[in-house]
Amino acid sequence: MLVMGEVHTGLLQNSGEVAASTCRRLLGLLAGQTVRVSRRPIVHAVSPDRLTGVDCRLPSASQSRVRGVGTVLTRCSITGGRVVQGSSYVRIVRAAVDRRLPWSHYLARPGVMEVLGKAKPRDLSDGFTDDLPGDRLSGASAGRTRPDPARPDPARGDRGPGWSGSAPLDLGAISGRFVDLVQSSPLLDRRAPFKIPRTRLRWVAESASESGAPAIRFTLHNDQLRTLRLVHDGEFTPAVAELCEDLALHDWLLTTLLVIVERALTGGAPGPEAVAKLTPAVDHLLHLWMPAARVDETLTPLWESLERYPGFTRQWQSLVDRIRDQISVNMLTLLIRKGGW
Amino acid sequence: MTPMNAMFGEVTAERRIAAAPLSHVSIELGHLYMEDFEAGPDRLRRMFRRVAPWAGAVRSTWEEQVPGRRARVSTCFLIDDYFSRFSSPAELVPMVLEAAAESDLTIDYLARESACAEPAGLVEDRLVDDPPPGANGSRPPVKETGWLCNGMRSSQAGAVQAMGRAQRWAPPAQNAKRGHSIFVDVELWDETGPHRTWSCPFLAAVWQLLRLGLLRDGGRLPLRPELRPQAWPTDWDALSPIVQLGDHAPPFAAYTTMSVLSPRFLPVELAVRTILSQVAVDAEVLEQVAGRSEGEGIRLEEELVDRISYVFI
């Protein structure tokens, strides 16, 4: 039917770049499973896949109560020894029977959630990309004074919310937990060169055979949240998730560089102070820009269309040029002063 | 200019998965506790006499399915040297082999239960908890350390919540119940100081996974059978974990397993199935095994627990 995913991207909590051998240890999340490391064109390490069992409502734009049961697939990666990502996704398919089956049935289908009952793919994908965590947070903080009959009440002997009373599937929490797991490793010194929030990218992928021609839509919602809807040729493969991870990585790099430039150059005259604020970008980020380096050939047209509009690389390049210009100008000023010209 | 296709590969970025040689079925010829061995060879003989006709039936079923003497049926016997140590291989092994031979049974592989403790950590990491209805991923699964169940545990009567009201007792519930629950809660291990003791059902679950050839450690097989020694050692630790008795025995691991057991092991096997229902085997290993069986025209059950069968006698 469709695939939903959420990628969290952040700066690895370490003062310097982490070696490939350390990445292996950081990402060894499953005994007996090797961490895959590729070194070209940039060091990229990926953890083995982990599964999380879920039995809950699926997001739905029409607020329909749609039950899904299955496993969410999550993996973590570290790029350039510097950027950590937690990526979860789940393929939504129709169940053959309308009741929950023994758990072994779902474990034979890793990364698949079966929908019990009726559901429209469009309703689910709209629900997932429209019901954004920011909105939900504000709703929860409103505070509840009267007991909600739909909520479980231990005094009534209720056992958990049941699937229909539960909050919808929360892929972000799963991705976030895995990023936390890597970030809390004693192998990291927790002295990151700058502070920057994580970004979250929610994505929905549908096959062109069901939803028309290949297309991609990338939306920025706020400083941290992005959504991506894409229609791809052929069947879903993990390469689609890799494309989303690559986009999330580059969106994070661009967002971070923008923040650093903004912090350095807004207000006050540019000078040595501004340059000092720009240095971490030069030291830790500039070499990481490698768009579509690991993206499957069949999916590169989707990346390329985003390069035409809005043009990620164009914006990145202009920021890089600005940083380099600032540094050169500052250096020149220093030389002039020193030389007494 | 002609278009050119460039290929680039990196060995460390690709995973290599060793293939296990596979029989069609692995038959376990009974199981005994140490106290049964202590009771002497008679009890062993009685057990093998009971097991023999059922083992024969499994063999002939496979011979019918795979005609032309091509059915690969291997037999195995597991000796418990983990929970208690009794006698020595030099004394016990010949006694077991003789008793089996009296019922015309050939044991192809002899394994030590402590061998299952080595790869137990691999299996523990692969447990994916059966989620109760309402589990949406927002919180990590509720765990009782060292335990695994198939539903929601009962809440304790009288426990007081943070907000003051006393909690009423609520029964446990099976997640995939059909009408009524059969709730199973299995102890996986316990610890005294730094030493962890795996439970019998957990080791039996590892034993099933080894027999199904589904475990890998860094892509390699965690245990491979070794040929029988010249003489049986006097210490269990000196015996290899899985001993191959005949030079030409069919492979130890198999597409399916069959265990002929006394009904007193029924609770243990229920626990084993509860555990195995929550083990996520490496998808690539599963594909490898499925591909091989299909190549032979055999369609394997998708679910792990459906590849395991028993005769309780």
Side-chain angles (χ1 to χ4, degrees):
Chain A
M1 242 153 96
L2 73 156
V3 187
M4 295 173 176
E6 187 161 333
V7 189
H8 286 208
T9 308
L11 183 70
L12 199 63
Q13 290 301 311
N14 201 54
S15 50
E17 191 175 305
V18 164
S21 55
T22 312
C23 290
R24 268 183 215 283
R25 291 168 65 196
L26 285 169
L27 297 176
L29 304 177
L30 199 56
Q33 282 281 48
T34 37
V35 171
R36 282 174 298 155
V37 180
S38 55
R39 289 166 192 275
R40 306 282 178 86
I42 188 166
V43 179
H44 180 75
V46 189
S47 77
D49 294 341
R50 292 292 308 246
L51 298 177
T52 305
V54 284
D55 174 355
C56 58
R57 273 174 55 208
L58 285 167
S60 149
S62 66
Q63 300 295 318
S64 312
R65 295 196 176 266
V66 182
R67 182 182 186 181
V69 185
T71 54
V72 174
L73 198 146
T74 308
R75 58 177 172 217
C76 282
S77 64
I78 297 173
T79 307
R82 197 65 276 190
V83 188
V84 59
Q85 290 188 293
S87 164
S88 303
Y89 66 89
V90 65
R91 277 169 52 209
I92 313 281
V93 303
R94 270 179 240 280
V97 288
D98 274 353
R99 62 185 165 81
R100 182 169 159 170
L101 297 172
W103 188 233
S104 50
H105 169 85
Y106 303 102
L107 278 188
R109 293 156 182 77
V112 170
M113 230 176 143
E114 294 190 345
V115 179
L116 314 187
K118 286 191 186 113
K120 292 192 188 85
R122 188 61 196 257
D123 183 42
L124 301 183
S125 56
D126 286 352
F128 185 60
T129 48
D130 299 344
D131 169 33
L132 299 170
D135 305 340
R136 225 188 305 144
L137 274 178
S138 58
S141 65
R144 221 178 240 114
T145 47
R146 274 184 299 164
D148 177 349
R151 286 193 148 246
D153 180 357
R156 287 200 308 250
D158 287 352
R159 308 302 322 287
W163 73 269
S164 66
S166 71
L169 176 67
D170 194 347
L171 293 178
I174 302 174
S175 296
R177 258 201 316 279
F178 277 93
V179 172
D180 291 344
L181 191 66
V182 174
Q183 297 279 37
S184 64
S185 164
L187 298 170
L188 300 174
D189 63 20
R190 252 164 287 284
R191 294 204 318 268
F194 50 88
K195 279 204 169 119
I196 203 85
R198 288 182 197 171
T199 56
R200 303 189 305 244
L201 175 98
R202 274 193 173 191
W203 58 271
V204 174
E206 285 167 279
S207 165
S209 60
E210 289 182 40
S211 313
I216 190 160
R217 196 171 83 214
F218 186 85
T219 314
L220 298 181
H221 291 263
N222 57 36
D223 289 351
Q224 290 157 41
L225 188 67
R226 289 91 178 80
T227 56
L228 179 73
R229 293 184 70 146
L230 63 92
V231 178
H232 55 83
D233 271 328
E235 288 295 300
F236 174 85
T237 65
V240 174
E242 280 164 27
L243 167 76
C244 298
E245 288 158 12
D246 196 49
L247 273 167
L249 172 73
H250 288 88
D251 168 68
W252 179 86
L253 283 170
L254 190 53
T255 307
T256 304
L257 200 59
L258 271 165
V259 170
I260 290 178
V261 168
E262 201 178 85
R263 282 177 189 166
L265 301 180
T266 26
E273 259 178 53
V275 169
K277 285 182 185 164
L278 289 172
T279 315
V282 180
D283 290 345
H284 302 282
L285 297 180
L286 296 196
H287 59 287
L288 298 178
W289 191 260
M290 303 256 174
R294 278 173 310 279
V295 172
D296 191 88
E297 215 172 291
T298 56
L299 298 166
T300 39
L302 291 171
W303 230 124
E304 283 161 6
S305 69
L306 283 178
E307 283 287 36
R308 281 193 297 277
Y309 183 78
F312 282 110
T313 299
R314 193 161 48 215
Q315 191 174 6
W316 174 266
Q317 199 50 53
S318 106
L319 281 170
V320 171
D321 291 346
R322 201 164 164 211
I323 291 171
R324 294 208 168 125
D325 288 348
Q326 279 297 328
I327 293 172
S328 319
V329 167
N330 190 59
M331 196 129 72
L332 208 59
T333 319
L334 283 177
L335 281 174
I336 291 169
R337 275 197 212 136
K338 230 179 174 179
W341 292 352
Chain B
M1 212 171 88
T2 47
M4 209 181 283
N5 279 324
M7 292 275 280
F8 175 73
E10 279 183 84
V11 177
T12 51
E14 291 155 15
R15 292 186 59 208
R16 281 158 299 170
I17 307 280
L22 292 164
S23 289
H24 289 111
V25 62
S26 150
I27 309 177
E28 182 177 11
L29 302 171
H31 187 63
L32 291 174
Y33 287 125
M34 269 300 165
E35 64 256 30
D36 300 312
F37 288 110
E38 279 168 335
D42 264 357
R43 193 168 288 184
L44 259 174
R45 285 193 202 107
R46 271 211 307 278
M47 181 196 74
F48 284 124
R49 266 202 301 276
R50 268 206 314 273
V51 166
W54 299 98
V58 179
R59 187 181 291 275
S60 49
T61 311
W62 274 99
E63 280 166 356
E64 267 170 44
Q65 205 180 327
V66 191
R69 300 181 134 261
R70 286 183 301 116
R72 302 185 301 277
V73 178
S74 69
T75 57
C76 57
F77 190 76
L78 182 71
I79 294 178
D80 170 17
D81 68 328
Y82 183 75
F83 296 101
S84 50
R85 288 274 165 115
F86 168 73
S87 182
S88 69
E91 262 180 68
L92 207 64
V93 175
M95 184 170 98
V96 170
L97 299 184
E98 268 169 42
E102 280 179 31
S103 296
D104 289 329
L105 288 173
T106 311
I107 300 175
D108 295 323
Y109 299 92
L110 199 71
R112 294 194 290 125
E113 195 146 351
S114 38
C116 300
E118 283 173 40
L122 297 177
V123 178
E124 192 196 17
D125 248 22
R126 296 207 147 268
L127 290 173
V128 177
D129 294 36
D130 186 340
N136 71 338
S138 60
R139 272 177 243 159
V142 183
K143 275 188 193 288
E144 286 294 331
T145 309
W147 288 80
L148 188 74
C149 71
N150 66 349
M152 276 181 288
R153 297 180 172 90
S154 67
S155 61
Q156 276 186 350
V160 177
Q161 291 266 297
M163 292 307 283
R165 275 192 293 174
Q167 213 170 325
R168 229 163 49 185
W169 180 81
Q174 182 186 358
N175 289 335
K177 65 179 175 188
R178 298 192 78 151
H180 296 85
S181 284
I182 301 169
F183 179 76
V184 182
D185 207 346
V186 184
E187 188 169 16
L188 305 179
W189 45 262
D190 64 4
E191 278 173 342
T192 22
H195 181 72
R196 174 179 287 195
T197 306
W198 298 97
S199 70
C200 166
F202 197 79
L203 293 182
V206 177
W207 171 236
Q208 287 286 1
L209 289 166
L210 286 170
R211 286 167 70 200
L212 288 169
L214 294 176
L215 288 183
R216 297 291 183 279
D217 186 359
R220 291 182 298 273
L221 293 164
L223 287 175
R224 277 178 188 274
E226 288 173 29
L227 268 176
R228 66 182 292 169
Q230 295 286 336
W232 296 109
T234 50
D235 183 14
W236 287 105
D237 290 328
L239 188 66
S240 42
I242 305 174
V243 183
Q244 180 178 341
L245 295 163
D247 290 344
H248 304 291
F252 166 72
Y255 294 140
T256 60
T257 71
M258 157 64 81
S259 301
V260 188
L261 299 170
S262 151
R264 64 192 166 128
F265 290 106
L266 217 146
V268 174
E269 294 306 320
L270 172 63
V272 168
R273 294 178 75 85
T274 305
I275 297 167
L276 289 178
S277 305
Q278 300 181 57
V279 172
V281 172
D282 187 334
E284 286 179 58
V285 177
L286 282 178
E287 269 168 40
Q288 188 189 66
V289 173
R292 298 245 316 266
S293 65
E294 269 163 36
E296 292 192 64
I298 294 164
R299 202 166 166 75
L300 284 184
E301 295 288 347
E302 270 184 353
E303 292 169 41
L304 201 63
V305 284
D306 294 338
R307 298 183 191 176
I308 298 166
S309 55
Y310 305 91
V311 171
F312 288 106
I313 180 81

